[in-house]
Amino acid sequence: MDVSLFDVIGPIMIGPSSSHTAGAARLGRVARTIIDAPFNHVSFGLHGSFGQTYQGHGTDRALLAGVLGLAEDDERLADAFSLAKKANLTYSFEEIELDGVHENSVKMVFTLTDGSTRCIVGSSLGGGRILITSIDGFPTEFTAQSSTLVIRQPDVPGIISDITAILALNSINIAVMKVSRNAKGGEACCIIETDSPLTANLVAQLKALPKLLQVQAINL
Amino acid sequence: MYTSLKDLLRLTKEQNAPLWQIMLDNECALAGCTPDEIWNKLRDRYAVMKKSATKALTVSLPTAGNLISGITAPQYAYSLQNGTICGNFINYAMALALSGSEVNASMGKVCAAPTAGACGILPAVLLAMAKEFNYEEDDILKALLTASGIGAVVVKNATVAGAEGGCQAECGVAAAMAAAAAVQLKGGTPQQAVTACCLVFMNVMGLICDPVAGLVQVPCAQRNASQTINALLCADLALAGMQCIIDPDDVIEAMYKVGKMLPVQLRETALGGIAATHSSKKIQEEIFSNS
């Protein structure tokens, strides 16, 4: 049997819906981890069923709680609006149409304190499971169920080999790896899912590589 | 290795082991961890279940539109009275199930089993049985393990999503899981546990998902209560010796096929059944015009 018992009883979560509440909180939290920089506004574009039913299922509060760093089983999730106010975080929700995405999808546009914006798109697949489908326009496809590295780098030869060498030195096995770029010789985004957790020490070693633009580790 | 209820029954015979042992060994191999780690995870989940099944017994919790706020406390009070039709045990089990649903709708903490919408049923059966028959927590955790393993077989071969299979796939599966747990707690055989699951599915076959205003409240909470009782009565039927004349895996397949035959209006879209009634539409308008 390849279905885990804990996919049947679980997740432990804040109600009422694993897809519309737990998955939404997780999407927000993963997005916050990828952004990894101070921000003061998030606009949430809600697609499909998310857009139709978000108020009744607390999807809005769950997304907001997630970007504030709360886990999907944190009982403060219902108080997300007041927590955002305390954190001086402003937010907006609107219904939008996205092309070729799951019925429960959200586009999160973060305004950083330096005025720049960043954009994460993801979907809630049911049972609290999620899929991140785009980071700043780079197509991605990862669930954050295993530890994941999100790396941005210039599209030049040799960088991937530098990255994988550091993973090899730390005895970390790569489960899935995907690289995309916005133009030849432009900027690239590298997503690496690993079989073991990613330590702060490993991230520091990667950040010490001269050419990498950004390195974020997601260990949920 | 198993993927079906038949496989499970065969393995219990070959290894002369209870259902929970077969499922525990499988989970250890699957996750690459020790039995203790599995027991700890089960204990964590049972702790959440105990809280959600009892939190609303004496207080009213706010829910979106307040469609089910305060439905649990009167049921709990009623369950303490003498002379009720179904007696203290059944009425208490229903109160526990309603509490799970009320906590879930109030954005409280629950453990999905197998879904959040059906999260009241398994805890209600486990807690009511624990109170009535004074089981140790270890026995309850073994029953929880068996329930989860049964659920895994349904996930593998059918569905537990209301949007795919209707309420029979959510509350129905939760009740099938709970029935197996109840049979095991009472010392029944693996065959009797599987029979109880089949009887549950026969009793719930075709139940649609038609939530008022699209909210996980009405009739979800009421069905958490009724499927809790479906689980308990099917456990008793199986323990009394009733056989299921249909192959157990065929029963699961039938549930899945019925789910696929259901029109989309009856699968969590709030476009049919109770959700499509005039009064339901009126409630929906009232809730969403104020928010």
Side-chain angles (χ1 to χ4, degrees):
Chain A
M1 172 59 61
D2 57 3
V3 177
S4 167
L5 303 175
F6 302 108
D7 287 337
V8 180
I9 50 161
I12 294 173
M13 53 169 274
I14 300 303
S17 162
S18 62
S19 55
H20 288 66
T21 321
R26 194 171 173 87
L27 279 166
R29 189 155 64 102
V30 169
R32 169 197 173 92
T33 311
I34 296 167
I35 300 298
D36 195 24
F39 54 87
N40 51 28
H41 181 83
V42 186
S43 84
F44 298 93
L46 304 166
H47 167 88
S49 174
F50 263 17
Q52 298 298 316
T53 65
Y54 71 95
Q55 288 161 321
H57 288 118
T59 308
D60 45 4
R61 282 185 274 183
L63 284 165
L64 195 56
V67 304
L68 287 164
L70 269 59
E72 47 272 34
D73 64 347
D74 192 316
E75 286 181 301
R76 293 172 298 168
L77 199 143
D79 308 322
F81 294 140
S82 60
L83 291 173
K85 200 172 179 186
K86 266 187 216 156
N88 287 321
L89 176 69
T90 58
Y91 51 86
S92 63
F93 295 92
E94 60 172 337
E95 288 175 42
I96 59 167
E97 291 262 346
L98 295 167
D99 283 333
V101 295
H102 187 276
E103 187 67 0
N104 295 325
S105 293
V106 57
K107 178 180 179 181
M108 294 170 270
V109 179
F110 291 75
T111 306
L112 307 194
T113 49
D114 67 6
S116 62
T117 59
R118 300 202 49 199
C119 176
I120 313 267
V121 181
S123 306
S124 177
L125 306 178
R129 290 171 299 115
I130 63 159
L131 188 71
I132 300 293
T133 57
S134 160
I135 300 175
D136 298 324
F138 290 100
T140 61
E141 193 178 350
F142 66 96
T143 63
Q145 269 176 317
S146 45
S147 291
T148 306
L149 278 168
V150 179
I151 297 171
R152 295 279 282 274
Q153 78 267 22
D155 182 36
V156 295
I159 290 197
I160 298 295
S161 128
D162 291 346
I163 295 168
T164 54
I166 288 178
L167 291 175
L169 281 172
N170 286 272
S171 304
I172 288 177
N173 190 45
I174 295 175
V176 182
M177 178 164 173
K178 187 175 177 185
V179 184
S180 58
R181 61 183 180 184
N182 55 16
K184 193 174 174 183
E187 193 178 322
C189 178
C190 176
I191 307 292
I192 302 173
E193 294 172 68
T194 64
D195 287 336
S196 41
L198 302 159
T199 62
N201 182 23
L202 172 89
V203 174
Q205 289 175 47
L206 287 168
K207 282 188 171 169
L209 286 173
K211 286 176 185 159
L212 300 193
L213 305 170
Q214 283 173 9
V215 180
Q216 273 85 36
I218 304 168
N219 296 296
L220 292 190
Chain B
M1 178 59 197
Y2 62 90
T3 56
S4 65
L5 295 178
K6 267 195 299 294
D7 290 344
L8 275 171
L9 289 179
R10 178 177 49 77
L11 288 169
T12 58
K13 279 192 190 129
E14 282 175 11
Q15 301 181 18
N16 192 26
L19 281 168
W20 64 264
Q21 184 70 57
I22 309 287
M23 294 156 174
L24 177 66
D25 292 348
N26 183 79
E27 188 69 21
C28 287
L30 181 66
C33 63
T34 64
D36 276 348
E37 289 174 270
I38 308 287
W39 292 123
N40 286 337
K41 283 176 92 169
L42 288 166
R43 197 170 287 114
D44 288 348
R45 277 158 174 74
Y46 185 52
V48 173
M49 289 179 175
K50 277 193 277 193
K51 275 194 181 166
S52 65
T54 52
K55 187 178 173 186
L57 292 181
T58 50
V59 294
S60 168
L61 302 173
T63 67
N66 290 322
L67 302 187
I68 61 166
S69 293
I71 61 164
T72 307
Q75 176 60 31
Y76 174 58
Y78 181 76
S79 77
L80 301 174
Q81 293 176 18
N82 292 325
T84 58
I85 296 171
C86 290
N88 303 107
F89 172 67
I90 291 289
N91 277 293
Y92 178 61
M94 290 198 284
L96 295 170
L98 292 177
S99 175
S101 292
E102 189 173 341
V103 168
N104 183 53
S106 74
M107 295 189 81
K109 192 190 278 198
V110 298
C111 178
T115 65
C119 76
I121 295 163
L122 181 56
V125 168
L126 294 176
L127 262 76
M129 297 275 296
K131 187 180 177 209
E132 186 75 7
F133 303 108
N134 296 311
Y135 295 116
E136 302 287 332
E137 181 150 307
D138 281 357
D139 294 325
I140 297 291
L141 295 184
K142 285 174 187 164
L144 179 56
L145 209 169
T146 293
S148 314
I150 295 287
V153 172
V154 181
V155 169
K156 179 79 184 168
N157 297 291
T159 179
V160 298
E164 218 181 337
C167 190
Q168 55 160 10
E170 294 207 25
C171 290
V173 174
M177 293 163 60
V183 168
Q184 179 177 302
L185 281 170
K186 287 299 280 178
T189 64
Q191 177 64 60
Q192 286 172 325
V194 166
T195 298
C197 294
C198 294
L199 297 173
V200 162
F201 281 124
M202 287 185 182
N203 287 350
V204 75
M205 190 72 55
L207 190 64
I208 63 171
C209 178
D210 50 353
V212 170
L215 301 172
V216 191
Q217 298 191 43
V218 177
C220 318
Q222 289 79 0
R223 287 177 186 163
N224 270 258
S226 61
Q227 288 309 310
T228 294
I229 308 317
N230 189 16
L232 292 168
L233 78 86
C234 289
D236 256 348
L237 286 172
L239 287 164
M242 184 176 285
Q243 315 271 320
C244 179
I245 59 167
I246 307 300
D247 177 283
D249 295 303
D250 288 354
V251 173
I252 292 176
E253 191 187 352
M255 184 279 286
Y256 190 34
K257 283 185 174 167
V258 165
K260 287 184 173 176
M261 285 179 216
L262 289 176
V264 70
Q265 289 88 341
L266 307 181
R267 284 185 277 120
E268 212 179 338
T269 52
L271 297 171
I274 297 292
T277 57
H278 178 68
S279 10
S280 171
K281 286 179 187 162
K282 214 172 136 195
I283 291 168
Q284 179 163 6
E285 276 166 27
E286 281 167 15
I287 294 173
F288 293 111
S289 65
N290 297 334
S291 57

